[in-house]
Each structure stands twice: as structure tokens, then as C-alpha cells.
Amino acid sequence: MIRNTAVFESEEFRQMLTLAQTMEEPPQQDGSLRQAWFISRAHELVSEKEKQLGRKLTACVVTFGCQMNERDSEKLRGILRLAGYEESESEDADFVLYNTCTVRENANVRVYGRLGALSVYRRKNPEMVIGLCGCMMQEKDVVEKIRRDYRYVRLVFGTHNLHRFAELLVASLMSDSPVIDVVDKDDSIVENLPAERTYPFKSGVNIMFGCNNFCSYCIVPYVRGREKSREPKEILREIEQLVADGVVEVMLLGQNVNSYGKGLSEPVTFAQLLQEVEKIEGLERIRFMTSHPKDLSDDLIEVMAHSRKICRHLHLPVQSGSSRLLKIMNRHYTKESYLALVDRLKAAMPDLSLSTDIIVGFPGETEEDFLETMDIVRQVEYDSAFTFIYSKRTGTPAASMPDQISEEVIKDRFDRLLKEVQRIGRQRSSRFEGQILPVLVEDRNRQEAGLMTGRTPHNLVVHFPGDEDLAGKIVDVRLNEARGFYYMGERV
Ligand code: 5AD
Ligand code: SF4
């Protein structure tokens, strides 16, 4: 992959690092200066260790889960890099940090499996430090299990204190016993922390944290806490700095971006925020996720339809096509109102590409409910759909609902649904064949030398002959041949 090699830190943060180096003690107040102080301290500790060992120290951050976690990991990597670690793509490293997900049970199972597999490297390198963070760590029984069965894990923290990673890292480097620091709530948003972007030319930008929706199957509100929006000026400043650093595409991130701005001292809507982001010179493309259908406003449709920069792709999780189940899921829309929303979107933007999330096997799902889901999938004609088997999450209302569905029934429904979404997706994806579209070139093609890979505004992947120096540029490509979910094309 064509990766970014440098950490991006804002001018403000650079000044804080310089100031922090002159301070004997860390500032008491929580914030980026305090974290800058701990980064300097971590750097001293890492340097000492390097002298002892006579080699550089390496770190590897592994991300599980969603784009929010991907973005968090970029921040964790940024801090590790400033602390003096060299990045390692392999888990055979001096510091290995798993940024975990817990949205479905199998995410947890994967983490335990990977932890076990680390023992090979641990035996080779007794200095190895293993850390765990992210959503899964917000579950009390998980932390208990780690304490009990995985004593070699040296550092555990959750989602609420991720911004204090530098401080926690220093604590774990200085301590002989594990550092476990998981808090239930921390409303502070620390701005200006450094990040190491995976791609030089595109970046996620958090616009809000947490979720207030409490869909009855979902654990996210319990592990990510209440919804909290960042101030628009902080978001705009971050994007301006990213653009100055070479970014042309941003993905605005939140569990429910359509309710952005509600708790701010001067409330701002998501549509208004987008209009401000659009004005940033040098920024070429704006994406966002996730949109909750219940909060998607006509203003947003209007802003999208008139925008030059907002990509014509919307991720609009439907979860189920059954109004009966949607009510029990606490989704606050019906099959009919969702379809009416899709109609308004398509009327305003006929070329809009739509993707979705669907859960199969929610407690009490009948064959009729499932057929409603199949029907909505056919009516909407999604370009792509992520289909999930319902996973029981302890503590959520759905976990104690009667009529949990048997594995065979779920599997049968899942297979039928998957077949249908793939058939429709393939058909939909080919609708641009022969057209010339602007493509943001992302990477070289790993399978075939001489080919580059990029994305259209509709989020479709295109492979075409080209040089590596095109990465990060937006070029016109003719989509010659649709091959399932991607295209083969040529530059024009
Ligand atoms: N089981 C299965 N899928 C789930 N999701 C959230 N919680 C669960 C669960 N308990 C899915 C939803 C959501 C996506 C991010 O994950 O479809 O939109
Ligand atoms: Fe979970 Fe619903 Fe919040 Fe999405 S909107 S994170 S599905 S509770």
C-alpha cells in the first residue's frame, strides 16, 4: 500500500510539544498540553530502552471494527510515532495494541484468538508490551476475563480515555504490573492530538462521538457513551489543516451524523456544517457516515443535491424491512417512511448510490418479517449491503427478548438475502458502464502490475492502467467494463 510516512501534527500541537519539553511536571489540567508532556516523557523512556537493547523499538496497532476505530487508530499511531516507536506492520513488535470492537460477538472472539496467537512472538521477545483498547474494553466482564486469563496484557483502556493514551503509555512503561484504566464516562474532547494517516490524501474526521439511539440490539450506546458533537470551528480547522497537508477527501464520522450539533451551545445542523465544509478551498470530496434514516432532513437532501463536493453515495442502514420489527428495534421509522425517504433522495439525485446494513434473525423475526426485508431490498435496489447475523449482546434489551431464532433458520434467511443483495448490487454497479467519471486514485493494484485503483464519487472501485505518482489525484476515467462490483477502465 502507498502509505503515509509522516505524523501529522498541527502547528498548535508542535508548539505544545516544545513548551512541554521545558516543564518538569505534567500540567494538572487535562488537555493536549498534558498529553504533549507525556509524549515527551514516553520518548525519553523509549530512547533509554533503545540504548539498553541497542536497536529501535517497534509498535503495531491492529484495528478491529468500524471507521471510527480506524480513525482512533491513526491517532494512537501518531502518538506512538512521536514517542519514538517505529511502525511495524507485523505483530512481531515491541508494543502491540489491539483497538477492539464489540458490536457483534464474533468481534470479541477474534480478539481472544489473536491474543492467544501472540504468544509465539512473546516467547521470542520478553520485552514485548501488549495493550488492548476500544469498545470491547468498556465491558466489565471482558476486563475481568483479561485480568484473570490474560495476565501478560500490560495496558487496558477504553473508548472514553483514548485521548489520554500518551499518559497511559508512560504509566505502563514505568509499571511492573498491568495498567488498567477504563472509565464509564468522560465528556472531554481533546483537540489537536497528532495522527498518522493511513493515506496521505484522505482522512476520516470525527464530528461527533457516542450515540443516543439505543436501538434495542445494539451495544454501541453502552460502550461509546452519550452523543457529543465537536464544535464546528474545531472541525473546520482540522479539515483546513488536513487540506494544507495534502488531503483532498474527508469522511465525516459519527454514529448518527444526521443528529450532529444538537447539544452544542449554538446548535448547528449537519446540513449547515456540510455547507461550511464545502467552502474549504482545496478540499475536493466530502463523504460522511453513518446516516440514521429517522434524522435525515430535507435540508440535507437539498444541500447534497446542490453540492459540488459531497459524493453521491449515502450509507443508510435499514436493518429490517418489517415495520413491526423496526418498532421493536427502536428505529423510529417504518418500511413505508423509509421507502418515501429513498424516493425523495432519488428524485433529488437520480445517480445516487445507496448502501445499507441489514440484520437477519432479530428475536421474533418471522418468515413474513424476513420477506418484508427481501422486498425492501428489491424496492430500494441498494448498490451494496452489509448483511449481519443478529448477535446477542448482553445488557441490550433484545438480549432478553423471547423467540431467539434458531441457527438453521437464520442461516437459510441469511443465504437467501445475501444472494439477492449480491444480484441487485452487481446489476446496479454496472449502471455506469461506458461513462467517464472523476476517480480519486488511491493505490497500486496489488494483483496486477501497472494498474492503479481508485474510487468514483459513488464509491465504486475502478482499476485502470496508470503510474504510482497518480495516487491522491482525481483523474477522469472511462468505465469500460463492469466486473461484478468493480470496473476496468482507462484514463481519458
Ligand atoms: N447484531 C448484529 N448486527 C448488529 N449491528 C449492530 N448491532 C448488532 C447486533 N447486535 C449492525 C447494525 C449496524 C452495524 C454497524 O452493525 O446493522 O448498522
Ligand atoms: Fe447502534 Fe442504533 Fe446507535 Fe447505530 S444508531 S450505533 S445501530 S444504537
Side-chain angles (χ1 to χ4, degrees), residues 211 213-215 217-218 220-221 255 292 331:
C211 180
N213 291 305
F214 291 95
C215 301
Y217 49 81
C218 186
V220 169
Q255 302 295 352
H292 195 307
R331 292 290 290 177

Side-chain angles (χ1 to χ4, degrees), residues 8-18 192 241:
F8 172 64
E9 75 253 40
S10 63
E11 188 49 42
E12 285 98 327
F13 196 76
R14 232 165 280 152
Q15 287 169 6
M16 279 186 205
L17 273 176
T18 314
N192 280 316
Q241 286 167 344

Side-chain angles (χ1 to χ4, degrees), residues 249-252 285-288 311 313 455-457 459:
E249 176 179 301
V250 289
M251 167 77 91
L252 308 180
R285 283 183 171 187
I286 306 167
R287 298 184 186 276
F288 53 84
C311 290
H313 169 232
R455 276 174 202 272
T456 71
N459 212 26

Side-chain angles (χ1 to χ4, degrees), residues 230-249:
R230 279 176 77 196
E231 287 291 338
K233 67 171 189 315
E234 299 288 359
I235 296 169
L236 295 170
R237 194 166 59 160
E238 179 177 347
I239 300 175
E240 279 160 8
Q241 286 167 344
L242 287 168
V243 169
D245 195 49
V247 164
V248 292
E249 176 179 301

Side-chain angles (χ1 to χ4, degrees), residues 103-104 217-219 290 315 317 319 331 357-359 386 388-393:
V103 75
R104 284 169 292 274
Y217 49 81
C218 186
I219 200 168
T290 293
H315 186 62
Q319 314 298 0
R331 292 290 290 177
D357 293 339
I358 303 170
I359 298 177
F386 297 94
F388 303 111
I389 288 179
Y390 167 73
S391 170
K392 185 170 168 176
R393 308 311 288 127

Side-chain angles (χ1 to χ4, degrees), residues 5-144:
T5 48
V7 179
F8 172 64
E9 75 253 40
S10 63
E11 188 49 42
E12 285 98 327
F13 196 76
R14 232 165 280 152
Q15 287 169 6
M16 279 186 205
L17 273 176
T18 314
L19 177 61
Q21 275 153 12
T22 66
M23 300 167 82
E24 298 247 320
E25 297 284 324
Q28 287 302 310
Q29 202 189 348
D30 198 12
S32 39
L33 182 59
R34 184 172 162 91
Q35 296 314 306
W37 190 91
F38 280 103
I39 289 177
S40 300
R41 184 74 191 102
H43 195 273
E44 288 166 16
L45 294 169
V46 168
S47 300
E48 278 165 29
K49 195 94 214 155
E50 283 177 355
K51 277 200 204 105
Q52 269 174 28
L53 296 173
R55 61 173 176 83
K56 294 294 270 177
L57 290 189
T58 54
C60 174
V61 179
V62 181
T63 314
F64 297 82
C66 67
Q67 308 217 8
M68 302 276 238
N69 269 16
E70 291 287 351
R71 179 64 183 153
D72 285 346
S73 289
E74 292 186 352
K75 294 177 190 168
L76 297 166
R77 279 191 200 102
I79 289 169
L80 285 166
R81 193 63 92 89
L82 291 183
Y85 285 96
E86 277 189 355
E87 193 177 333
S88 159
E89 294 211 353
S90 139
E91 287 160 63
D92 186 4
D94 297 294
F95 185 82
V96 175
L97 182 60
Y98 287 170
N99 187 7
T100 62
C101 168
T102 186
V103 75
R104 284 169 292 274
E105 177 66 22
N106 58 6
N108 295 37
V109 173
R110 278 176 58 213
V111 168
Y112 291 125
R114 288 279 278 263
L115 260 184
L118 276 184
S119 59
V120 182
Y121 300 132
R122 237 170 11 98
R123 269 192 292 258
K124 234 174 54 185
N125 178 6
E127 302 287 333
M128 184 174 183
V129 178
I130 298 170
L132 296 173
C133 66
C135 294
M136 193 176 147
M137 299 306 121
Q138 292 296 141
E139 290 181 272
K140 287 202 173 55
D141 49 347
V142 167
V143 176
E144 271 320 302

